[in-house]
Amino acid sequence: MTADLATLTGMDTPTGLLIGGRWGDGRGGTLPVTDPATEDVIAHVASATPEDALDAVTAAHDALPGWAARPPRERGECLRRAFELMVDRTEALARLMVVENGKALKDARGEITYAAEFFRWYSEEAVRNDGGLSLAPSGANRIMVLRQPVGVSVLVTPWNFPAAMATRKIGPALAAGCTVVLKPAKETPLSALAIAAILHEAGVPEGVVNVLPTTKPGPLVAAMLADPRVRKLSFTGSTEVGRALLRTAADTVTNCSMELGGNAPFLVFEDADIEAAVEGAFLAKMRNGGEACTAANRFYVHDAVAGEFTARLADRLSRLSVGPGLDDGTDLGPLVNSDTRSKVASLVESATRDGGRLVTGGQVPDRRGYFYPPTVLDDVPRGAGILAEEIFGPVAPVVRFTDQADAIALANSTEYGLVSYLYTRDLRRALQVAEALEAGMIGINRGVVSDPAAPFGGVKQSGLGREGGHDGLLEFTETKYIAVDW
Ligand code: NAD
């Protein structure tokens, strides 16, 4: 436990590895955790090696039969208690997240609520893991279908939603009867460790949830995927790392769920309610300071309304208060680290070189911390480099269009397909465009789609499988078919 952290958050946070119910030092030294608002190291967390990872797999494998055999109601009740503990500790968990990730406290509070909801939803799904029974078409036998836990599951999560990406995997895994080894991002291990402590307090047995922060994720995850006791990889992160992990998982034919990058288009048609579109754009762009896979990345706006839309969005964004996430009144905290800020700044520079026009923002401020101001670019040309990359920052590039089919083609001209947003008052048009957009999720006149009760996920190179809803539970089950003659 670290005293400074306790002062900052009002809560004791573990800083060790969690293997088989014990907090330990691990064999890989320590990992520094930096506050993006001050650039100060605020904690040192134990760093796991591949040997530690195999110990964690052993712990998860040993705990599997007991956990899988627990009545579903009991598994659900552990998750329900964890939900309640998270809600009770929202403020402390939110402050912990702010100091390791940088996001504004209001975003962090929102994330803790969202993250806890996955425990509540899967406490309810634990008792709804149904199968099927039917008569074979020939009439000769019954077809019985069971959904059994897939087994020991390796969960790998990113830094942008340090709590929700963990609970979105742990919730369904535990509900289905699986045991897990969670590897959080090195930037944000503390939220994951705090959530694991809560799960134990909620009654989850030793070895069911193991957590391994590490400075060397590649060898650690590879060692686990090579182990035949591991039957599932659930990964959230970049498409680049996801592709590499799919290749590694192929050697052992490990079941994979992949939540990867996005490049969300946000379409505003000439008949849209502009005030609602600006509000939706604000949410779709600025939730989490733009560091979201669902962040609107490219704004395609009809020429007839583009001037008004862009001016209003720029006005809304330029009034945001930028500062340390813990300060009252901060709307936008710093980006997570210096590399992320450099990437955002260079994408904006390239967009202006490509012919985009800066309406607001665009300058790295001269202050400590990885801050970047809200930025709007208008008249960005269709071929500009910024439109092909995940920006992951508070930057909104606007491209103008005049033809609906052209707008749909532009929206689909990416290897990503996570989410798309569209604004129009015409329901028929909305549904036609929604059908034509190549994305796993569509927001119609709505800037936020995430919901623990809904199937979240992408098509194309944005991923495989779904998290949330009933589909999220099925990702942690194997289907067994039994032919019965009675
Ligand atoms: P990242 O791919 O760099 O890292 C994600 C996780 O993978 C981290 O835990 C990291 O330590 C680990 N990792 C990195 N290299 C690895 C390797 N060689 N082997 C095994 N593990 C490795 O992504 P990030 O920068 O942490 O997160 C941002 C990305 O995540 C963005 O692309 C974003 O779109 C995506 N994301 C997607 C979703 C979704 O649901 N689709 C949600 C949140 C974030």
Side-chain angles (χ1 to χ4, degrees), residues 186-187 335-346 370 391:
K186 67 178 186 312
E187 293 83 355
L335 294 171
V336 73
N337 56 28
S338 150
D339 286 353
T340 304
R341 185 181 51 190
S342 302
K343 182 185 169 194
V344 171
S346 80
Y370 310 119
I391 303 170

Side-chain angles (χ1 to χ4, degrees), residues 46 62 95 108 126 150 171 300 423 468 471 475:
D62 290 349
R95 292 177 74 81
V150 62
Y300 294 111
Y423 274 74
D471 298 43
E475 299 279 328

